[in-house]
Amino acid sequence: MSNAEKKNTQSYLERLKQQALSQENYGGAIKYDQANMQLYDCPECAAPRAPGDGLTVCAYCGFKFMTVKLSDGIHIKKEN
Amino acid sequence: MFGFFKNKYDNPALLEEIRQTEEKWFVFLDKLETRLEELCAAAIPELIAVFNQDTDPYKRAHSRMLTGLIGQISQMQQKGIEAKETHIIPFMQPSGSLLPDLMSSAGRKYHDRLYRFQMACFDRHHQFEDKVNEGIAALRAAKGNTDLEGAYQRQLTEFERIKDNFNCKQCGGKMSLPKMFFIATYIQCPFCQSQNTYTPSTEMQMLFHQARSLAEQRTAHLLQDYENSKPKNPALYQQYLRAMFDEWNKITPDMLTENERFYQRLLKDHSINHY
C-alpha cells in the first residue's frame, strides 16, 4: 500500500476517533447518585406503610398507594 | 454422420476474455483485502485507546467507533458482492449459453474452462469474505480491560462504610442494611415497623449488570481450557459453566433461582447439535 493511502487510512481513523469521542451520549452524561433512604407515607393521613398491614393500601385510612396486584418477586412477596 | 466432418469449435477470444476477467477479479479482491488488512491493523490500537479514554461506563464512544469501522468494512464487502454480480455472474451465463453442446469434445473443453473460471472466482470471493469476517471479529475483540474486580471490591468497601449510616425517615431510629442490595428495596424500621425505601448508589446498581462479566473474568481460564481441548470436551464446558455460575451467584445471591434455570438452559443448548 502506498504512503498516500496509509496517510488516508490514518486521517480517516483520526477523524472517526474524534467524532466518536466528541459526540454527546444519548441522554447526556451519567448521573451518579448516592445511596439513600426514603419514605413514602400516606398523602391523606401521613401514616407510614408497614408490610403486615399492606404495602398497597394505607392501614389507617384505606388510601390506595397502588392499584396493581403484587406478585412474588425477589424482595417483595404477594402477601405484602 | 457422427459429426466427423464438422468444423471444430475454436474461440481463442473467449479464452482470453476468461483469463483477463479472472485476473482482473483476483487483482480487485487483492486490493480490497490489502485495504481491509491495513484498516484493521491501524484501527485496533486506536480502538483500544478510545476504550481506555472513554469515561462513559457503557463505553459508548468505543461502540460508536467500532460501528463506524464495521460500516467501512461492510462497504468493502458490498463492493465485492456488487462486482461479482455485475462482472462475474453476467459474464458466465451468456458465455456458457453460446458454447457448443456440453457432450461434444470441443464444447466439453470450453465448458470445463468456464467451470474452472467460475470455481476459481467463487473460491477467491469466499476467501475474501472469510477475511472480512476475521477482520470484523478482530475489531470486536479489540478493547481494553475493564477492572470489574476492582470496581466490585470498591463497592464492597463502600457498602461496609454506609450500611449502618441510615435512619428511619418516620421515627429517626437507626437502621442497618442486612445485606448488599443492587436494586431499590423496602427496608423495615426495627422500631416503628415503617417501610423505608432504600435506593443503592448508581455504581452499586451497575454492579448488578456487571456481575456476569465479572464472573466470566474470574473463570476465563476454565473457558480457555475448554477452547484449547481438541476435540472440544463438553465436560470441561460444564465445569466452566458451573464455576462461572457459582461465582455469579456469590456476587448476586438473590438471583440464585433464576440463574440456576439459565444455567440449565445454557447447558442444554450446548448439547444440542445444530446441523
Side-chain angles (χ1 to χ4, degrees):
Chain A
M1 183 164 274
S2 68
N3 281 340
E5 278 171 335
K6 271 186 187 167
K7 224 172 165 182
N8 275 345
T9 312
Q10 278 305 334
S11 69
Y12 164 72
L13 279 174
E14 198 51 44
R15 263 183 295 132
L16 189 66
K17 189 175 161 184
Q18 288 312 323
Q19 259 179 16
L21 285 170
S22 60
Q23 193 180 328
E24 202 181 317
N25 287 326
Y26 181 72
I30 302 271
K31 250 174 69 188
Y32 288 95
D33 293 325
Q34 291 297 312
N36 62 69
M37 196 71 88
Q38 287 164 334
L39 185 87
Y40 179 42
D41 52 16
C42 176
E44 302 278 326
C45 69
R49 293 181 294 165
D53 305 319
L55 292 174
T56 51
V57 179
C58 175
Y60 300 93
C61 69
F63 173 78
K64 281 187 180 170
F65 288 102
M66 43 184 131
T67 49
V68 292
K69 204 166 186 288
L70 295 179
S71 57
D72 278 343
I74 298 173
H75 302 307
I76 297 176
K77 302 293 169 208
K78 63 176 173 233
E79 58 271 15
N80 288 329
Chain B
M1 199 180 166
F2 304 120
F4 287 147
F5 305 107
K6 265 189 183 173
N7 285 334
K8 201 177 173 198
Y9 178 80
D10 195 20
N11 190 351
L14 179 65
L15 290 177
E16 182 57 22
E17 207 180 338
I18 290 176
R19 194 190 63 75
Q20 278 181 5
T21 315
E22 193 175 314
E23 202 177 290
K24 272 188 204 161
W25 175 240
F26 275 51
V27 169
F28 169 71
L29 288 184
D30 281 345
K31 274 188 185 168
L32 269 187
E33 258 181 29
T34 318
R35 268 181 59 196
L36 172 77
E37 280 164 10
E38 172 79 16
L39 180 67
C40 287
I44 287 171
E46 295 290 337
L47 265 176
I48 295 174
V50 169
F51 189 91
N52 292 331
Q53 271 179 43
D54 196 0
T55 49
D56 183 61
Y58 307 111
K59 303 289 179 192
R60 282 177 283 183
H62 170 263
S63 303
R64 282 194 290 269
M65 182 153 174
L66 180 63
T67 315
L69 286 166
I70 291 176
Q72 276 289 314
I73 294 182
S74 303
Q75 269 193 357
M76 291 184 196
Q77 189 180 23
Q78 203 55 40
K79 266 187 191 166
I81 294 170
E82 271 170 24
K84 184 175 146 188
E85 282 172 356
T86 48
H87 298 296
I88 305 297
I89 296 172
F91 173 73
M92 264 162 12
Q93 285 163 352
S95 309
S97 64
L98 291 175
L99 293 176
D101 185 24
L102 176 66
M103 301 307 287
S104 66
S105 63
R108 184 60 185 259
K109 182 185 157 195
Y110 280 85
H111 278 289
D112 277 357
R113 178 69 190 93
L114 207 58
Y115 180 70
R116 281 205 309 279
F117 162 78
Q118 175 186 338
M119 292 319 288
C121 290
F122 283 9
D123 281 350
R124 184 70 190 80
H125 188 240
H126 284 153
Q127 280 172 17
F128 170 69
E129 293 267 317
D130 284 347
K131 285 260 168 71
V132 165
N133 292 333
E134 280 168 20
I136 292 178
L139 290 181
R140 282 190 197 281
K143 46 174 114 168
N145 289 324
T146 321
D147 184 19
L148 294 177
E149 190 65 53
Y152 179 58
Q153 294 303 333
R154 274 198 299 281
Q155 289 310 312
L156 283 182
T157 321
E158 175 68 6
F159 175 70
E160 286 302 319
R161 192 180 68 79
I162 63 163
K163 70 176 186 180
D164 297 319
N165 288 359
F166 295 103
N167 292 326
C168 173
K169 294 283 173 188
Q170 184 71 19
C171 69
K174 203 165 174 54
M175 290 176 75
S176 173
L177 299 175
K179 59 176 177 175
M180 199 163 166
F181 294 107
F182 300 103
I183 55 171
T185 312
Y186 287 137
I187 308 279
Q188 195 173 350
C189 169
F191 304 100
C192 69
Q193 316 301 320
S194 296
Q195 203 73 349
N196 287 257
T197 308
Y198 164 70
T199 313
S201 66
T202 311
E203 280 168 312
M204 222 175 265
Q205 291 182 39
M206 278 178 187
L207 221 51
F208 185 71
H209 303 285
Q210 292 163 353
R212 183 179 175 186
S213 306
L214 175 56
E216 282 173 350
Q217 274 188 5
R218 285 179 182 176
T219 52
H221 60 286
L222 292 174
L223 182 62
Q224 197 62 42
D225 288 348
Y226 164 70
E227 297 285 351
N228 291 342
S229 63
K230 277 182 188 158
K232 288 197 172 167
N233 186 354
L236 283 180
Y237 183 74
Q238 186 171 358
Q239 197 184 347
Y240 154 71
L241 211 58
R242 188 64 265 170
M244 195 275 276
F245 272 83
D246 286 345
E247 287 295 330
W248 191 357
N249 290 334
K250 263 190 230 164
I251 303 164
T252 54
D254 290 335
M255 299 300 287
L256 187 82
T257 329
E258 286 75 10
N259 282 354
E260 200 53 34
R261 278 205 297 268
F262 186 34
Y263 165 73
Q264 293 298 345
R265 206 194 79 204
L266 282 185
L267 205 58
K268 198 173 150 205
D269 282 358
H270 190 255
S271 63
I272 297 171
N273 294 312
H274 301 280
Y275 291 110

